[in-house]
Amino acid sequence: MLVARMQKMKAGNLSGMEKHNKRIFQNHSNPDIDTSLSDQNYDLMNREGKYKDIVTEIIESQKISQRATRKDAVLVSEWIITSDQAFFKNMDPNERDRFFQEATDWFKERYGEQNLAYAHVHLDETTPHMHLGVVPMRDGKLQAKNVFNREELRHLQDELPKHLREKGFEIDRGAEESERKHLSIPEYKKAMESVKELDVERQKKSQEIIKTVSQIDELQSAKSAL
């Protein structure tokens, strides 16, 4: 099953995302990252420079307005492209690389190669995945809401897996993408941990209720005996 999730990146997010994607850190808190494998990661766009400079150049080279970009504007729509572990298990490395290349090619065709800031493939985590950054430019304007509206998100979820199947990959359509909430992989993991914690808490409360009911039954039994 195809996993394609989007998160909206503003100016204040670019530096942190660049450090994560390029593995620019000395210490990290993600236990899934095996730093001994980080040298196997690669970027399919191979643009030189920092994210901020790359994104600024993409915007300034196309925008038609002389106004400065709003400070709270969405500068990059970052897509995380992957599948489950079973999909990648026993897959030839060349086929795995072709999977990410074909996905990148689809984004280039759909949104314009000039608007792709990066396409980092990570092979140093539990499941291979790609962080692909699209600067949402259209008609000389930065307009994330229009480029990735609900209709477009639905189109992407339909057409990207279709394209990948046509290229020889046995992959199904993923879950419906919503423009209201887009979770990154770390956010998704955190959310799942919260669910687990909630389940544990519910179990504790259930056990406490059962214990309390049992105590009440014992008291009632003792009272009846007296």
Side-chain angles (χ1 to χ4, degrees):
M1 183 179 72
L2 178 70
V3 175
R5 291 194 178 91
M6 187 185 78
Q7 56 181 339
K8 301 173 182 178
M9 312 296 293
K10 298 182 179 181
N13 305 127
L14 294 182
S15 177
M17 184 53 65
E18 180 173 13
K19 289 179 180 178
H20 172 77
N21 289 349
K22 294 182 179 180
R23 299 302 193 234
I24 306 174
F25 47 58
Q26 293 183 347
N27 299 302
H28 63 86
S29 58
N30 188 345
D32 292 334
I33 297 177
D34 183 350
T35 55
S36 67
L37 301 175
S38 294
D39 60 349
Q40 297 181 23
N41 298 341
Y42 59 92
D43 182 10
L44 286 169
M45 293 306 297
N46 295 314
R47 292 183 182 270
E48 297 292 335
K50 295 183 178 180
Y51 278 9
K52 179 181 178 181
D53 297 331
I54 293 171
V55 171
T56 298
E57 193 279 329
I58 292 174
I59 295 172
E60 294 297 324
S61 65
Q62 298 181 61
K63 77 174 189 177
I64 57 178
S65 173
Q66 297 300 315
R67 294 181 180 179
T69 303
R70 289 173 50 181
K71 293 183 179 180
D72 62 344
V74 174
L75 303 182
V76 176
S77 298
E78 175 169 293
W79 285 89
I80 295 175
I81 307 298
T82 185
S83 184
D84 52 32
Q85 291 185 19
F87 175 76
F88 291 105
K89 187 177 181 181
N90 299 324
M91 180 180 283
D92 183 89
N94 291 327
E95 278 294 281
R96 179 199 62 209
D97 293 344
R98 189 172 72 86
F99 170 80
F100 291 117
Q101 182 64 65
E102 291 292 352
T104 302
D105 289 345
W106 186 89
F107 272 84
K108 288 179 181 179
E109 181 67 24
R110 184 69 180 174
Y111 306 109
E113 182 174 354
Q114 74 279 5
N115 292 323
L116 268 61
Y118 54 85
H120 282 282
V121 176
H122 285 167
L123 302 177
D124 60 354
E125 296 188 54
T126 305
T127 304
H129 60 276
M130 176 170 64
H131 294 259
L132 189 149
V134 181
V135 179
M137 292 292 295
R138 175 182 290 171
D139 300 327
K141 298 178 181 179
L142 187 66
Q143 42 183 325
K145 288 184 178 180
N146 292 328
V147 173
F148 291 109
N149 56 33
R150 185 167 298 180
E151 181 180 352
E152 180 61 24
L153 295 175
R154 189 176 296 112
H155 175 85
L156 187 149
Q157 295 292 340
D158 287 335
E159 295 302 318
L160 179 55
K162 180 180 178 180
H163 168 78
L164 292 170
R165 286 195 298 272
E166 290 174 349
K167 296 300 180 178
F169 296 99
E170 296 182 4
I171 193 163
D172 297 322
R173 186 189 192 283
E176 188 71 41
E177 182 69 41
S178 168
E179 65 176 345
R180 289 176 295 177
K181 180 61 180 177
H182 309 283
L183 297 178
S184 64
I185 287 179
E187 288 172 335
Y188 177 77
K189 291 177 180 178
K190 186 175 181 180
M192 292 305 295
E193 287 299 321
S194 297
V195 171
K196 291 179 181 178
E197 291 175 2
L198 182 60
D199 287 341
V200 171
E201 188 64 27
R202 284 175 177 172
Q203 290 177 3
K204 287 182 179 179
K205 287 184 178 180
S206 295
Q207 292 173 353
E208 290 175 359
I209 292 173
I210 293 172
K211 183 178 180 180
T212 300
V213 171
S214 298
Q215 290 174 341
I216 292 174
D217 288 342
E218 290 176 359
L219 287 174
Q220 289 179 338
S221 299
K223 184 177 180 181
S224 297
L226 291 174

